[in-house]
Amino acid sequence: MTVLTADLYDERGDELQSVPLQFQTIGGRARFSGPIRTVTCFEDNALLKSILSTPGDGAVLVIDGGGSLKSALMGDLIADLAVANGWSGAIINGAVRDRVAIGALDLGVKALGSNPRKSSKTGSGTADTVVEFAGVTFTPGRTVYCDEDGILVER
C-alpha cells in the first residue's frame, strides 16, 4: 500500500468507513490493503486456519472473534500459513499469541491484543459473509486499507 490512510480519507471522505477501535499493529507489515474476506468465529480458530490455508491472492481476512481476549485466534503457525498462501494480512477483532514471531513475518496483522492461551478447534463459525463490528461493515470483495493510523473500509 503506497497511499497512507489519512491521505486516502482526505481524498475519498465518506466513500470510506473509519474503524474507531484502537487495533494494535502486530504483524511485520504495518501498511497493507486488499480485498476483504471474512470469518466469524468465537474463541475457535479452526475455520480461519482452513481459510488461510487456501490461496489468498493478496486479500485481507477480517476475523470477527466477538472482541474476546480470552484466547488467541492466531499464532505463529497460522500466520505462517497466511504468508505462504499469499494473504496480505488479517484484522482480528480478538487476540493473537506469538507476537514476536508474527512481528517478524511479512504479513499485516492488526488485533485487539494478545493472550498465550490457544483457542478451541471445533470449526464453528461462518465465512465470507458481511461482518460488522465497531459500527463498521466489512463486505467481502470490498477493499480495506490499514496502516499505523488505523483502518479504512470501502462502503
Side-chain angles (χ1 to χ4, degrees):
M1 184 176 94
T2 57
V3 178
L4 299 175
T5 56
D7 295 336
L8 189 61
Y9 192 85
D10 288 348
E11 180 183 310
R12 296 186 53 192
D14 287 338
E15 295 175 17
L16 301 167
Q17 304 169 83
S18 179
V19 178
L21 276 178
Q22 298 300 295
F23 281 86
Q24 297 177 32
T25 299
I26 294 171
R29 186 188 303 169
R31 298 174 185 169
F32 60 101
S33 62
I36 294 170
R37 298 273 312 272
T38 66
V39 63
T40 301
C41 54
F42 186 74
E43 298 175 4
D44 186 312
N45 69 0
L47 181 58
L48 76 92
K49 181 180 180 183
S50 70
I51 292 169
L52 291 172
S53 296
T54 65
D57 300 319
V60 175
L61 187 62
V62 176
I63 303 160
D64 186 4
S68 175
L69 298 174
K70 290 172 95 176
S71 63
L73 291 174
M74 178 182 282
D76 61 341
L77 299 178
I78 291 177
D80 276 334
L81 280 174
V83 172
N85 287 299
W87 290 82
S88 177
I91 299 167
I92 305 165
N93 185 23
V96 299
R97 66 188 210 161
D98 305 312
R99 289 176 73 112
V100 173
I102 292 172
L105 297 174
D106 185 22
L107 181 70
V109 177
K110 287 197 174 273
L112 297 180
S114 60
N115 186 330
R117 181 181 181 196
K118 64 182 179 179
S119 69
S120 62
K121 316 259 185 257
T122 66
S124 65
T126 59
D128 294 317
T129 60
V130 174
V131 166
E132 185 175 334
F133 54 83
V136 174
T137 302
F138 297 85
T139 303
R142 302 262 171 87
T143 303
V144 62
Y145 306 90
C146 304
D147 69 9
E148 299 87 344
D149 281 339
I151 303 168
L152 295 176
V153 181
E154 285 182 336
R155 291 191 187 276

